[in-house]
Amino acid sequence: MDHFNTAPADDLRRMLLSCLHSLHWARRVADHRPYPDADALLAAADEAAYDLTSADLAEALAAESLPTLPADTYSAAHTALSAAHAAYEARFGHVFVICLDDAPQTEILDRLLAAIRSRLTNDPEEERVIAAEELRRLARGRLVELLRGAENCATSTNGAAPST
């Protein structure tokens, strides 16, 4: 947490944008430092994500990429997924987002296809709420990874135990 709390604001905002590409979200999370611990940071990040405006959400969605499939996924699955993504983007005007952090690798394709097919039936406002929640979950997972990376850097550069 020390690295997060003491990083220069511009550097931190750039790092936060890799978690969720919303300038408003990144500024809000960075500007409320210092955080006493990772739980407080994650709670603040969640709160900032819940407060995304429609414009903030559009900004974040525009920067998202499609979820990646496991390397051994067969080509017919890629074709089916491409078709489902195209239908989703045509209906909602943005890329499909889903957080699959808790999914075993062997279930990613099935969960992804089931979710996109299910969500294609949503009305645009309902889907906006779901997409915002998925972005929040993605940002949270990416932020946890960012913190882990900072801890590993601190440990490998000075030999001291990371502080969280």
Side-chain angles (χ1 to χ4, degrees):
M1 284 305 305
D2 289 338
H3 176 73
F4 188 91
N5 284 328
T6 60
D10 289 341
D11 293 346
L12 183 61
R13 280 198 249 351
R14 276 192 296 279
M15 288 187 294
L16 288 168
L17 285 171
S18 71
C19 298
L20 180 67
H21 197 85
S22 163
L23 291 170
H24 176 79
W25 180 85
R27 281 189 198 115
R28 186 165 166 196
V29 173
D31 291 349
H32 284 91
R33 294 181 297 164
Y35 295 99
D37 55 37
D39 288 338
L41 168 60
L42 293 173
D46 282 349
E47 182 180 331
Y50 288 129
D51 291 341
L52 291 176
T53 65
S54 293
D56 297 329
L57 181 59
E59 176 187 30
L61 286 168
E64 283 297 317
S65 58
L66 300 174
T68 56
L69 294 176
D72 62 347
T73 304
Y74 52 96
S75 64
H78 282 280
T79 302
L81 191 56
S82 293
H85 279 295
Y88 182 92
E89 287 189 43
R91 176 150 169 73
F92 298 111
H94 59 80
V95 70
F96 177 76
V97 291
I98 187 169
C99 181
L100 295 169
D101 290 347
D102 62 342
Q105 283 291 316
T106 57
E107 295 179 17
I108 287 178
L109 177 61
D110 292 337
R111 286 193 190 186
L112 188 54
L113 284 170
I116 199 167
R117 287 179 181 143
S118 170
R119 287 171 51 188
L120 273 167
T121 64
N122 293 342
D123 66 66
E125 181 54 29
E126 181 182 16
E127 184 55 26
R128 188 189 73 73
V129 170
I130 293 169
E133 176 61 16
E134 292 298 323
L135 279 173
R136 184 198 64 77
R137 291 179 62 218
L138 284 167
R140 183 179 243 280
R142 292 169 181 164
L143 189 52
V144 166
E145 288 302 312
L146 186 116
L147 290 174
R148 283 185 187 140
E151 287 177 2
N152 290 338
C153 288
T155 300
S156 65
T157 57
N158 64 17
S163 61
T164 54

